[in-house]
Amino acid sequence: MNRNELRTPSYIVQEGALKHNLEILKKVREESGCKILLAQKAFSMYRTYPLIAEYLDGTTASGIFEAKLADEEFKPSCENDNTGKENSGTCEKRENHVFEPAFHVDEMKELCEICSHIYFNSISQLELHRPVWEPYQKAGKVKIALRINPEFSTQEGHEIYDPCSRGSRLGIRKANLPEKLPEGVTGLHFHTMCEQNVQPLIETFRHVEENFPKYLKQISWINMGGGHHITRDDYEVDKLVSFLKDVKERYGFDIYLEPGEAIALNAGTLITIVMDIVDSDDIPTLILDASASCHMPDVIEMPYTPPLEGAIESKLGCEPFEGGDGIWVRLASRTCLAGDIIGIYRVPEMPEVGDVLTFTDMAIYSMVKNNTFNGMPLPDIVLEKDENSEDRYELVKRFGYEDFKERL
Ligand SMILES: Cc1ncc(COP(=O)(O)O)c(C=O)c1O
Protein backbone atom coordinates (compact mmCIF):
# COMPACT_ATOMS: atom_id res chain seq x y z
CA MET A 1 0.00 0.00 0.00
CA ASN A 2 0.97 3.62 -0.39
CA ARG A 3 0.62 6.10 2.44
CA ASN A 4 -2.49 7.60 0.81
CA GLU A 5 -4.20 4.19 0.77
CA LEU A 6 -4.10 3.90 4.56
CA ARG A 7 -7.46 3.96 6.32
CA THR A 8 -8.24 5.47 9.69
CA PRO A 9 -8.02 4.45 12.39
CA SER A 10 -4.84 2.41 11.84
CA TYR A 11 -1.97 1.35 14.02
CA ILE A 12 1.20 1.67 11.99
CA VAL A 13 4.21 -0.12 13.40
CA GLN A 14 7.56 1.07 12.06
CA GLU A 15 9.95 -1.80 11.40
CA GLY A 16 12.94 0.58 11.41
CA ALA A 17 12.14 1.88 14.91
CA LEU A 18 11.61 -1.67 16.12
CA LYS A 19 15.03 -2.67 14.77
CA HIS A 20 16.60 0.34 16.45
CA ASN A 21 15.22 -0.82 19.83
CA LEU A 22 16.21 -4.42 19.18
CA GLU A 23 19.80 -3.42 18.41
CA ILE A 24 20.05 -1.74 21.82
CA LEU A 25 18.62 -4.79 23.56
CA LYS A 26 20.94 -7.09 21.65
CA LYS A 27 23.90 -5.02 22.80
CA VAL A 28 22.76 -5.38 26.43
CA ARG A 29 22.44 -9.15 25.99
CA GLU A 30 25.81 -9.50 24.35
CA GLU A 31 27.73 -7.22 26.70
CA SER A 32 26.17 -8.41 29.95
CA GLY A 33 25.50 -12.07 29.21
CA CYS A 34 21.90 -11.70 30.37
CA LYS A 35 18.90 -13.02 28.45
CA ILE A 36 16.08 -10.78 27.27
CA LEU A 37 12.49 -11.85 26.65
CA LEU A 38 9.61 -10.02 24.96
CA ALA A 39 6.75 -9.52 27.42
CA GLN A 40 3.91 -10.21 25.00
CA LYS A 41 1.35 -8.45 27.16
CA ALA A 42 2.75 -5.15 25.89
CA PHE A 43 3.15 -6.05 22.23
CA SER A 44 1.88 -9.17 20.50
CA MET A 45 1.87 -8.13 16.86
CA TYR A 46 3.11 -11.51 15.79
CA ARG A 47 3.79 -10.41 12.24
CA THR A 48 6.97 -8.93 13.76
CA TYR A 49 7.91 -12.00 15.85
CA PRO A 50 10.34 -13.48 13.29
CA LEU A 51 12.27 -10.19 13.38
CA ILE A 52 12.20 -9.89 17.18
CA ALA A 53 13.23 -13.53 17.54
CA GLU A 54 16.43 -12.77 15.67
CA TYR A 55 17.45 -10.40 18.47
CA LEU A 56 15.95 -11.78 21.69
CA ASP A 57 16.06 -15.05 23.64
CA GLY A 58 12.34 -15.68 23.79
CA THR A 59 9.05 -14.46 25.14
CA THR A 60 7.13 -14.34 28.33
CA ALA A 61 3.40 -14.98 28.45
CA SER A 62 0.66 -14.02 30.89
CA GLY A 63 -1.32 -17.15 30.22
CA ILE A 64 -1.89 -20.00 27.84
CA PHE A 65 -3.05 -17.94 24.84
CA GLU A 66 0.09 -15.80 24.77
CA ALA A 67 2.19 -18.92 25.38
CA LYS A 68 0.55 -20.63 22.39
CA LEU A 69 1.05 -17.57 20.23
CA ALA A 70 4.75 -17.58 21.02
CA ASP A 71 4.98 -21.31 20.43
CA GLU A 72 3.42 -20.90 16.99
CA GLU A 73 4.94 -17.63 15.85
CA PHE A 74 8.07 -16.65 17.77
CA LYS A 75 10.65 -18.15 15.45
CA PRO A 76 13.52 -16.34 13.78
CA SER A 77 12.92 -15.91 10.06
CA CYS A 78 15.64 -18.44 9.26
CA GLU A 79 13.26 -21.11 10.57
CA ASN A 80 10.68 -20.06 8.03
CA ASP A 81 12.83 -20.18 4.93
CA ASN A 82 12.13 -23.88 4.35
CA THR A 83 15.79 -24.62 3.74
CA GLY A 84 15.93 -26.62 6.94
CA LYS A 85 19.44 -25.28 7.47
CA GLU A 86 20.67 -24.29 10.88
CA ASN A 87 22.80 -21.26 10.12
CA SER A 88 25.19 -19.84 12.71
CA GLY A 89 23.11 -20.90 15.66
CA THR A 90 20.50 -18.21 15.07
CA CYS A 91 17.80 -20.77 14.40
CA GLU A 92 17.75 -22.26 17.89
CA LYS A 93 14.27 -22.61 19.34
CA ARG A 94 13.41 -19.62 21.48
CA GLU A 95 12.44 -19.84 25.13
CA ASN A 96 8.78 -19.65 26.11
CA HIS A 97 8.17 -18.45 29.69
CA VAL A 98 4.80 -18.17 31.39
CA PHE A 99 3.60 -16.58 34.62
CA GLU A 100 0.05 -16.32 35.84
CA PRO A 101 -1.21 -15.62 39.37
CA ALA A 102 -3.25 -18.84 39.08
CA PHE A 103 -3.21 -21.50 36.38
CA HIS A 104 -6.29 -23.55 35.47
CA VAL A 105 -5.76 -27.25 36.10
CA ASP A 106 -6.82 -28.12 32.56
CA GLU A 107 -4.14 -25.85 31.08
CA MET A 108 -1.05 -27.07 32.92
CA LYS A 109 -0.29 -30.08 30.73
CA GLU A 110 -0.33 -28.05 27.53
CA LEU A 111 1.79 -25.35 29.17
CA CYS A 112 4.35 -27.99 30.12
CA GLU A 113 4.38 -29.18 26.49
CA ILE A 114 5.02 -25.74 24.98
CA CYS A 115 6.80 -23.72 27.68
CA SER A 116 10.43 -23.84 28.73
CA HIS A 117 9.89 -21.98 32.03
CA ILE A 118 6.84 -21.82 34.32
CA TYR A 119 6.52 -19.37 37.23
CA PHE A 120 4.15 -19.89 40.13
CA ASN A 121 2.74 -17.11 42.28
CA SER A 122 2.21 -19.16 45.43
CA ILE A 123 3.35 -22.36 47.10
CA SER A 124 -0.23 -23.64 46.90
CA GLN A 125 -0.29 -23.23 43.08
CA LEU A 126 3.13 -24.86 42.80
CA GLU A 127 1.95 -27.87 44.77
CA LEU A 128 -1.50 -28.07 43.12
CA HIS A 129 0.13 -28.48 39.72
CA ARG A 130 3.15 -30.53 40.87
CA PRO A 131 1.80 -33.87 39.60
CA VAL A 132 1.64 -32.37 36.09
CA TRP A 133 4.84 -30.30 35.91
CA GLU A 134 7.18 -32.52 37.92
CA PRO A 135 7.70 -35.25 35.27
CA TYR A 136 8.50 -32.54 32.69
CA GLN A 137 10.86 -30.83 35.13
CA LYS A 138 12.63 -34.08 35.97
CA ALA A 139 13.02 -34.84 32.25
CA GLY A 140 14.69 -31.43 31.82
CA LYS A 141 11.87 -30.14 29.61
CA VAL A 142 10.69 -27.31 31.82
CA LYS A 143 12.21 -25.11 34.53
CA ILE A 144 10.20 -23.99 37.51
CA ALA A 145 10.36 -20.71 39.43
CA LEU A 146 8.53 -18.88 42.18
CA ARG A 147 7.61 -15.23 41.92
CA ILE A 148 8.54 -13.28 45.02
CA ASN A 149 7.18 -9.96 46.19
CA PRO A 150 10.19 -7.96 47.39
CA GLU A 151 7.86 -5.52 49.21
CA PHE A 152 9.94 -2.66 47.85
CA SER A 153 8.17 0.03 45.83
CA THR A 154 10.27 2.24 43.62
CA GLN A 155 7.47 4.12 41.88
CA GLU A 156 4.92 6.69 42.86
CA GLY A 157 1.65 7.72 41.32
CA HIS A 158 0.77 4.60 39.31
CA GLU A 159 -0.56 2.20 41.93
CA ILE A 160 -2.21 -0.02 39.36
CA TYR A 161 1.21 -0.76 37.88
CA ASP A 162 2.95 -1.31 41.23
CA PRO A 163 3.07 -5.00 42.20
CA CYS A 164 4.52 -3.95 45.58
CA SER A 165 1.59 -1.71 46.45
CA ARG A 166 -0.37 -2.46 49.60
CA GLY A 167 -2.61 -5.49 49.24
CA SER A 168 -0.81 -6.78 46.15
CA ARG A 169 -1.57 -10.39 45.17
CA LEU A 170 1.57 -10.62 43.07
CA GLY A 171 4.48 -12.66 44.38
CA ILE A 172 5.22 -14.51 47.61
CA ARG A 173 6.28 -12.33 50.52
CA LYS A 174 9.40 -13.23 52.48
CA ALA A 175 7.31 -14.26 55.50
CA ASN A 176 5.49 -16.89 53.41
CA LEU A 177 8.51 -18.63 51.93
CA PRO A 178 9.77 -21.89 53.42
CA GLU A 179 13.36 -22.09 54.73
CA LYS A 180 14.40 -24.08 51.67
CA LEU A 181 12.93 -23.68 48.19
CA PRO A 182 10.58 -26.56 47.40
CA GLU A 183 11.96 -29.50 45.43
CA GLY A 184 12.11 -28.77 41.70
CA VAL A 185 12.25 -24.97 42.01
CA THR A 186 15.44 -23.64 40.44
CA GLY A 187 14.52 -20.03 39.70
CA LEU A 188 13.14 -16.86 41.26
CA HIS A 189 11.24 -14.02 39.65
CA PHE A 190 10.45 -10.48 40.70
CA HIS A 191 8.65 -7.79 38.74
CA THR A 192 8.27 -4.47 40.51
CA MET A 193 8.98 -1.67 38.04
CA CYS A 194 7.20 0.42 35.41
CA GLU A 195 8.86 2.68 32.83
CA GLN A 196 11.98 3.11 34.97
CA ASN A 197 15.69 3.70 34.57
CA VAL A 198 18.38 1.42 35.99
CA GLN A 199 18.80 2.87 39.50
CA PRO A 200 15.47 1.50 40.85
CA LEU A 201 16.52 -1.94 39.56
CA ILE A 202 19.84 -1.71 41.39
CA GLU A 203 18.05 -0.68 44.59
CA THR A 204 15.45 -3.42 44.21
CA PHE A 205 18.09 -6.08 43.76
CA ARG A 206 20.02 -4.76 46.78
CA HIS A 207 16.81 -5.10 48.78
CA VAL A 208 16.31 -8.67 47.47
CA GLU A 209 19.88 -9.51 48.49
CA GLU A 210 19.27 -8.22 51.99
CA ASN A 211 15.91 -9.88 52.44
CA PHE A 212 16.12 -13.11 50.48
CA PRO A 213 19.85 -13.97 50.77
CA LYS A 214 19.51 -17.70 51.40
CA TYR A 215 17.31 -18.18 48.34
CA LEU A 216 19.77 -16.50 46.00
CA LYS A 217 22.20 -19.30 46.87
CA GLN A 218 19.66 -21.98 45.99
CA ILE A 219 18.83 -20.92 42.43
CA SER A 220 20.45 -21.22 39.03
CA TRP A 221 18.47 -18.46 37.33
CA ILE A 222 16.61 -15.30 38.18
CA ASN A 223 14.14 -13.16 36.24
CA MET A 224 14.14 -9.45 37.07
CA GLY A 225 10.81 -8.77 35.38
CA GLY A 226 9.90 -5.86 33.14
CA GLY A 227 9.50 -2.12 33.50
CA HIS A 228 13.06 -1.46 32.27
CA HIS A 229 12.82 1.43 29.80
CA ILE A 230 16.10 0.37 28.21
CA THR A 231 15.43 1.87 24.78
CA ARG A 232 14.45 5.31 26.08
CA ASP A 233 16.95 8.03 25.16
CA ASP A 234 17.99 8.81 28.74
CA TYR A 235 18.30 5.17 29.88
CA GLU A 236 21.70 4.39 31.39
CA VAL A 237 22.48 1.32 29.29
CA ASP A 238 26.15 1.06 30.35
CA LYS A 239 25.18 1.19 34.01
CA LEU A 240 22.70 -1.64 33.41
CA VAL A 241 25.37 -3.73 31.72
CA SER A 242 27.83 -3.22 34.62
CA PHE A 243 25.13 -4.04 37.16
CA LEU A 244 24.16 -7.26 35.38
CA LYS A 245 27.77 -8.33 34.94
CA ASP A 246 28.47 -7.70 38.61
CA VAL A 247 25.44 -9.74 39.74
CA LYS A 248 26.32 -12.57 37.35
CA GLU A 249 29.90 -12.62 38.58
CA ARG A 250 28.92 -12.72 42.23
CA TYR A 251 26.13 -15.29 41.98
CA GLY A 252 26.86 -17.22 38.81
CA PHE A 253 23.21 -17.61 37.91
CA ASP A 254 21.55 -16.82 34.58
CA ILE A 255 19.75 -13.50 34.54
CA TYR A 256 16.61 -12.73 32.56
CA LEU A 257 14.94 -9.39 31.87
CA GLU A 258 11.44 -9.39 30.38
CA PRO A 259 10.63 -5.88 29.19
CA GLY A 260 7.56 -5.25 27.08
CA GLU A 261 7.52 -1.52 26.43
CA ALA A 262 11.24 -1.29 25.69
CA ILE A 263 10.87 -3.56 22.67
CA ALA A 264 8.37 -1.42 20.77
CA LEU A 265 8.83 1.94 22.48
CA ASN A 266 8.16 4.78 20.02
CA ALA A 267 7.80 2.22 17.24
CA GLY A 268 4.16 2.79 16.32
CA THR A 269 1.57 5.43 15.59
CA LEU A 270 -2.21 5.54 15.56
CA ILE A 271 -3.69 7.62 12.78
CA THR A 272 -7.19 8.99 13.09
CA ILE A 273 -9.39 11.43 11.19
CA VAL A 274 -11.20 14.51 12.48
CA MET A 275 -14.89 13.69 11.90
CA ASP A 276 -16.49 16.76 13.43
CA ILE A 277 -15.72 19.80 15.54
CA VAL A 278 -18.23 20.76 18.21
CA ASP A 279 -18.57 23.66 20.58
CA SER A 280 -18.30 22.43 24.18
CA ASP A 281 -18.47 25.38 26.65
CA ASP A 282 -14.80 26.21 26.72
CA ILE A 283 -12.72 25.08 23.75
CA PRO A 284 -13.55 23.28 20.51
CA THR A 285 -13.84 19.50 20.81
CA LEU A 286 -12.66 17.43 17.87
CA ILE A 287 -14.50 14.17 17.39
CA LEU A 288 -12.13 11.48 16.11
CA ASP A 289 -12.61 7.97 14.76
CA ALA A 290 -10.10 6.73 17.36
CA SER A 291 -11.17 6.11 20.93
CA ALA A 292 -9.21 6.27 24.17
CA SER A 293 -11.56 3.74 25.69
CA CYS A 294 -11.37 1.24 22.81
CA HIS A 295 -8.00 1.77 21.15
CA MET A 296 -5.73 3.19 23.85
CA PRO A 297 -7.29 2.29 27.22
CA ASP A 298 -4.09 3.18 29.11
CA VAL A 299 -4.89 6.82 28.38
CA ILE A 300 -7.82 6.46 30.78
CA GLU A 301 -6.42 3.79 33.10
CA MET A 302 -3.04 5.31 33.80
CA PRO A 303 -4.00 8.18 32.96
CA TYR A 304 -1.80 9.97 30.44
CA THR A 305 -2.05 11.97 27.23
CA PRO A 306 -0.52 10.28 24.21
CA PRO A 307 1.94 12.41 22.24
CA LEU A 308 0.33 14.01 19.16
CA GLU A 309 2.52 14.84 16.19
CA GLY A 310 2.83 18.60 15.78
CA ALA A 311 1.27 19.51 19.14
CA ILE A 312 2.96 22.10 21.35
CA GLU A 313 1.78 20.66 24.66
CA SER A 314 -0.91 18.47 26.15
CA LYS A 315 -2.93 18.15 29.35
CA LEU A 316 -5.17 15.46 30.81
CA GLY A 317 -8.86 16.07 30.18
CA CYS A 318 -9.31 17.14 33.82
CA GLU A 319 -6.28 19.43 34.09
CA PRO A 320 -6.42 23.24 33.84
CA PHE A 321 -5.00 24.73 30.68
CA GLU A 322 -4.56 28.17 29.21
CA GLY A 323 -2.23 30.53 27.45
CA GLY A 324 0.62 30.13 25.01
CA ASP A 325 0.66 30.49 21.25
CA GLY A 326 -1.64 28.41 19.10
CA ILE A 327 -5.01 27.05 20.03
CA TRP A 328 -6.31 24.66 22.69
CA VAL A 329 -8.53 21.82 21.49
CA ARG A 330 -10.04 18.78 23.17
CA LEU A 331 -9.54 15.49 21.35
CA ALA A 332 -12.35 13.05 21.96
CA SER A 333 -13.90 9.99 20.42
CA ARG A 334 -17.04 9.18 18.51
CA THR A 335 -18.19 6.77 21.25
CA CYS A 336 -21.00 7.78 23.57
CA LEU A 337 -18.83 7.59 26.70
CA ALA A 338 -18.61 11.14 28.04
CA GLY A 339 -15.16 10.43 29.45
CA ASP A 340 -13.77 9.04 26.20
CA ILE A 341 -11.39 11.97 25.96
CA ILE A 342 -7.87 11.50 24.70
CA GLY A 343 -6.63 14.80 26.09
CA ILE A 344 -6.41 18.54 25.68
CA TYR A 345 -3.79 19.72 23.24
CA ARG A 346 -2.28 23.06 22.26
CA VAL A 347 -1.75 22.96 18.52
CA PRO A 348 -0.27 25.62 16.21
CA GLU A 349 -3.38 25.84 14.01
CA MET A 350 -7.01 24.83 14.22
CA PRO A 351 -7.43 21.38 12.59
CA GLU A 352 -10.23 20.92 10.07
CA VAL A 353 -12.76 18.16 9.52
CA GLY A 354 -11.05 15.53 7.36
CA ASP A 355 -7.55 16.17 8.74
CA VAL A 356 -5.59 13.12 9.76
CA LEU A 357 -4.00 13.30 13.22
CA THR A 358 -1.16 11.06 14.35
CA PHE A 359 -0.65 9.86 17.91
CA THR A 360 2.82 8.50 18.52
CA ASP A 361 4.17 5.73 20.76
CA MET A 362 1.10 3.64 20.02
CA ALA A 363 2.59 0.18 19.48
CA ILE A 364 2.66 -0.79 23.15
CA TYR A 365 -0.29 -1.63 25.39
CA SER A 366 -2.61 -0.49 22.60
CA MET A 367 -3.67 -3.22 20.15
CA VAL A 368 -3.29 -5.84 22.90
CA LYS A 369 -5.93 -3.96 24.93
CA ASN A 370 -8.36 -3.18 22.11
CA ASN A 371 -12.05 -3.66 22.54
CA THR A 372 -15.20 -3.03 20.50
CA PHE A 373 -17.26 -1.13 23.08
CA ASN A 374 -20.05 0.79 21.29
CA GLY A 375 -19.44 -1.48 18.31
CA MET A 376 -16.39 0.62 17.50
CA PRO A 377 -14.38 -0.83 14.62
CA LEU A 378 -10.91 -2.02 15.52
CA PRO A 379 -8.09 -0.11 13.80
CA ASP A 380 -6.22 -1.69 10.90
CA ILE A 381 -2.81 -3.08 11.78
CA VAL A 382 -0.13 -1.96 9.35
CA LEU A 383 3.60 -2.63 9.15
CA GLU A 384 5.67 0.22 7.76
CA LYS A 385 8.82 -1.14 6.16
CA ASP A 386 12.06 0.58 5.20
CA GLU A 387 11.82 3.60 2.94
CA ASN A 388 13.09 1.85 -0.18
CA SER A 389 11.03 -1.28 0.21
CA GLU A 390 8.58 -2.00 -2.62
CA ASP A 391 5.52 -2.56 -0.49
CA ARG A 392 6.18 0.17 2.07
CA TYR A 393 2.92 -0.22 4.01
CA GLU A 394 1.86 -3.82 4.53
CA LEU A 395 -1.71 -4.27 5.67
CA VAL A 396 -1.31 -6.96 8.31
CA LYS A 397 -4.91 -7.10 9.47
CA ARG A 398 -8.21 -5.39 8.72
CA PHE A 399 -11.13 -6.01 11.05
CA GLY A 400 -14.80 -5.86 10.25
CA TYR A 401 -18.28 -6.40 11.60
CA GLU A 402 -17.69 -10.15 12.00
CA ASP A 403 -14.87 -9.51 14.47
CA PHE A 404 -17.29 -7.49 16.58
CA LYS A 405 -20.09 -10.02 16.30
CA GLU A 406 -17.96 -13.12 16.93
CA ARG A 407 -16.92 -11.90 20.35
CA LEU A 408 -20.45 -11.58 21.60
C1 LIG B 1 5.39 -9.98 35.22
C2 LIG B 1 5.61 -8.92 34.22
N1 LIG B 1 6.69 -8.98 33.43
C3 LIG B 1 6.94 -8.04 32.48
C4 LIG B 1 6.09 -6.98 32.30
C5 LIG B 1 6.39 -5.98 31.20
O1 LIG B 1 6.56 -4.71 31.70
P1 LIG B 1 6.91 -3.48 30.75
O2 LIG B 1 6.06 -3.56 29.55
O3 LIG B 1 6.57 -2.30 31.60
O4 LIG B 1 8.36 -3.57 30.45
C6 LIG B 1 4.95 -6.85 33.11
C7 LIG B 1 4.04 -5.72 32.95
O5 LIG B 1 3.04 -5.58 33.60
C8 LIG B 1 4.70 -7.86 34.09
O6 LIG B 1 3.62 -7.80 34.88
Side-chain angles (χ1 to χ4, degrees):
M1 284 204 299
N2 297 316
R3 176 109 208 161
N4 55 16
E5 289 173 285
L6 297 175
R7 284 215 315 219
T8 62
S10 284
Y11 296 112
I12 306 169
V13 169
Q14 286 94 27
E15 203 171 49
L18 208 50
K19 279 185 191 159
H20 166 82
N21 290 344
L22 292 167
E23 288 291 346
I24 297 172
L25 296 167
K26 184 174 165 200
K27 180 171 156 352
V28 171
R29 284 177 62 227
E30 288 176 353
E31 292 184 5
S32 71
C34 83
K35 295 190 178 187
I36 301 187
L37 311 171
L38 160 71
Q40 294 178 90
K41 70 188 76 187
F43 183 69
S44 306
M45 183 182 158
Y46 60 88
R47 167 66 183 81
T48 62
Y49 280 10
L51 171 71
I52 302 175
E54 281 174 33
Y55 291 83
L56 303 187
D57 298 278
T59 51
T60 188
S62 315
I64 193 158
F65 286 177
E66 286 184 359
K68 279 174 87 157
L69 185 65
D71 183 57
E72 290 172 9
E73 304 290 342
F74 201 81
K75 294 167 190 162
S77 30
C78 54
E79 280 191 6
N80 296 335
D81 66 4
N82 297 326
T83 61
K85 266 190 288 173
E86 298 265 313
N87 48 13
S88 63
T90 53
C91 294
E92 285 161 30
K93 195 167 163 45
R94 299 300 184 249
E95 296 181 13
N96 191 351
H97 296 226
V98 65
F99 162 79
E100 206 174 344
F103 293 103
H104 262 295
V105 279
D106 54 4
E107 291 172 349
M108 189 46 60
K109 187 161 170 47
E110 188 172 359
L111 286 172
C112 289
E113 290 286 340
I114 62 176
C115 292
S116 55
H117 297 67
I118 300 180
Y119 304 71
F120 292 98
N121 190 51
S122 67
I123 303 290
S124 45
Q125 272 278 308
L126 175 86
E127 297 305 338
L128 172 72
H129 297 290
R130 181 181 287 279
V132 184
W133 62 256
E134 198 162 51
Y136 288 87
Q137 185 265 328
K138 286 196 166 147
K141 290 188 175 156
V142 72
K143 291 187 178 158
I144 302 295
L146 289 176
R147 176 167 176 172
I148 56 167
N149 183 330
E151 297 178 80
F152 187 72
S153 275
T154 54
Q155 41 177 313
E156 276 168 25
H158 295 138
E159 267 220 347
I160 70 161
Y161 295 119
D162 184 359
C164 295
S165 61
R166 208 178 126 69
S168 170
R169 68 188 179 293
L170 300 166
I172 309 170
R173 288 166 175 75
K174 180 174 127 181
N176 298 327
L177 273 173
E179 205 41 39
K180 196 170 167 319
L181 289 176
E183 189 71 32
V185 174
T186 55
L188 282 185
H189 175 269
F190 63 83
H191 166 77
T192 62
M193 291 169 33
C194 178
E195 299 187 344
Q196 283 166 292
N197 212 313
V198 66
Q199 192 55 31
L201 173 64
I202 294 174
E203 285 162 22
T204 303
F205 188 70
R206 198 176 297 142
H207 182 84
V208 169
E209 282 186 294
E210 282 163 17
N211 288 275
F212 299 81
K214 53 181 177 254
Y215 305 109
L216 295 180
K217 294 187 193 123
Q218 298 173 37
I219 55 172
S220 56
W221 58 286
I222 191 164
N223 185 327
M224 299 186 179
H228 319 283
H229 245 196
I230 302 171
T231 50
R232 197 173 73 197
D233 282 350
D234 68 343
Y235 191 92
E236 297 169 278
V237 174
D238 292 339
K239 196 166 161 186
L240 173 68
V241 169
S242 331
F243 161 74
L244 294 169
K245 277 167 79 173
D246 171 63
V247 173
K248 206 165 161 56
E249 225 171 86
R250 287 192 290 117
Y251 290 95
F253 44 49
D254 286 338
I255 304 175
Y256 287 90
L257 301 180
E258 49 176 25
E261 293 209 4
I263 281 110
L265 194 65
N266 292 316
T269 54
L270 174 61
I271 56 167
T272 177
I273 201 166
V274 179
M275 301 180 74
D276 198 8
I277 301 175
V278 296
D279 182 11
S280 37
D281 300 333
D282 46 7
I283 51 172
T285 294
L286 276 55
I287 299 186
L288 309 179
D289 63 355
S291 153
S293 178
C294 302
H295 308 145
M296 37 183 145
D298 264 0
V299 163
I300 295 173
E301 284 175 19
M302 208 164 183
Y304 83 106
T305 50
L308 173 73
E309 247 174 46
I312 306 165
E313 68 174 306
S314 68
K315 301 270 183 195
L316 291 177
C318 55
E319 279 177 336
F321 57 90
E322 65 182 320
D325 295 339
I327 175 159
W328 286 98
V329 291
R330 182 179 291 104
L331 300 187
S333 167
R334 65 165 164 151
T335 68
C336 68
L337 175 71
D340 196 351
I341 292 166
I342 297 157
I344 292 178
Y345 291 80
R346 185 153 66 89
V347 289
E349 281 169 20
M350 184 63 196
E352 289 176 13
V353 171
D355 282 357
V356 173
L357 305 184
T358 303
F359 293 104
T360 59
D361 200 16
M362 274 292 153
I364 47 180
Y365 293 106
S366 52
M367 54 188 109
V368 289
K369 290 186 138 189
N370 266 342
N371 65 77
T372 55
F373 173 57
N374 266 222
M376 279 289 278
L378 296 170
D380 284 355
I381 297 179
V382 176
L383 183 65
E384 180 179 343
K385 310 229 193 93
D386 295 340
E387 226 169 294
N388 37 18
S389 110
E390 255 177 48
D391 182 22
R392 176 114 195 247
Y393 294 94
E394 177 190 324
L395 178 63
V396 174
K397 184 96 186 158
R398 174 159 286 165
F399 302 92
Y401 167 68
E402 292 305 325
D403 296 290
F404 162 67
K405 186 180 176 191
E406 286 308 315
R407 297 174 63 205
L408 300 169

